[in-house]
Amino acid sequence: MDCLNEHILRKVIQGDQAAFAELYKHYRTPALKFCITLLKDEEEAENMIHEVFIKIWDRRAQINPTLNFTSYLFTCLRNMAFDHLKKMEKNNQLKQIYMEKMAAVRDEEAEDKETKFQLLYSAVNLLSEKRKQILFLNIEEGKSYQEIAEMLMISKNTVKNQLVKAKQFLREKVDVATS
């Protein structure tokens, strides 16, 4: 290491902020290029450089000015970049597992809906023709109790009772089958 850098490092170790700013300015561009090469993300590289220099400032008392600071700095950056990439890979794996589980849940829900639909369809076929007709007019065609009563020439109360019994029957059939 040349005398100038060793001299600046000694000042940094003593807490000289101006010397630290000079050290940062000297290494920022090559460190940024190095990190961008590893990370392929300029913003993350910039953040990493800031983080490493903050750690250097915090641990300045432990720096040996006679050793190669350039090597130390780039080793720190490389290790931090590798840790970041490992973390990203783990996050991607967790994201993939989560997405697979969500897809499985959606598939199960779709299967459950299909099963319930089949059960409901089978249960509707078990209803008497009159109840099926009343249920169809009410649900499929949106007819009111009064309209159904007039169409089928039965009382409004009979329509209501038949619908209640039909819906209760269907609920029981589907609930029993899915339990």
Side-chain angles (χ1 to χ4, degrees):
M1 181 173 233
D2 61 39
C3 290
L4 177 63
N5 283 341
E6 188 175 328
H7 176 71
I8 290 172
L9 267 180
R10 289 188 188 282
K11 284 183 166 184
V12 169
I13 292 167
Q14 294 169 356
D16 185 332
Q17 292 180 358
F20 182 72
E22 191 176 330
L23 186 72
Y24 176 82
K25 184 179 176 185
H26 177 76
Y27 283 104
R28 183 187 177 284
T29 301
L32 185 60
K33 288 179 183 176
F34 178 73
C35 287
I36 290 172
T37 302
L38 293 175
L39 300 174
K40 312 292 187 237
D41 181 344
E42 189 171 342
E43 187 176 333
E44 193 57 44
E46 189 78 50
N47 291 337
M48 195 166 289
I49 291 167
H50 288 270
E51 197 173 323
V52 165
F53 272 95
I54 288 169
K55 286 181 181 180
I56 289 170
W57 177 256
D58 290 342
R59 299 176 186 159
R60 65 188 176 275
Q62 299 166 0
I63 296 173
N64 184 343
T66 61
L67 297 179
N68 187 337
F69 180 77
T70 304
S71 177
Y72 171 73
L73 173 65
F74 283 86
T75 299
C76 290
L77 288 169
R78 183 199 67 207
N79 291 344
M80 190 177 279
F82 287 166
D83 288 346
H84 174 76
L85 293 171
K86 284 180 199 172
K87 185 178 178 183
M88 293 297 291
E89 179 62 27
K90 186 174 183 178
N91 285 345
N92 286 339
Q93 288 172 349
L94 291 173
K95 185 178 178 182
Q96 182 65 32
I97 290 168
Y98 174 77
M99 296 304 283
E100 287 169 5
K101 285 184 179 180
M102 290 306 294
V105 166
R106 279 193 299 275
D107 291 346
E108 279 181 30
E109 287 173 353
E111 287 174 18
D112 286 348
K113 284 181 182 178
E114 180 64 27
T115 301
K116 283 185 179 181
F117 178 76
Q118 291 298 329
L119 290 170
L120 186 60
Y121 183 77
S122 297
V124 167
N125 285 331
L126 295 174
L127 292 172
S128 69
E129 287 304 314
K130 197 66 149 181
R131 278 191 187 162
K132 265 197 256 186
Q133 186 180 21
I134 292 170
L135 188 66
F136 176 79
L137 289 170
N138 180 251
I139 293 177
E140 292 292 318
E141 294 189 12
K143 303 276 186 207
S144 69
Y145 293 174
Q146 186 63 44
E147 291 171 322
I148 296 169
E150 289 172 5
M151 286 176 71
L152 301 178
M153 292 186 278
I154 55 177
S155 75
K156 183 178 170 184
N157 230 15
T158 301
V159 171
K160 182 179 176 183
N161 288 338
Q162 291 298 313
L163 277 173
V164 167
K165 288 177 182 175
K167 289 177 181 178
Q168 183 180 1
F169 176 79
L170 295 175
R171 231 179 270 113
E172 287 171 3
K173 287 292 184 188
V174 172
D175 286 347
V176 166
T178 57
S179 299

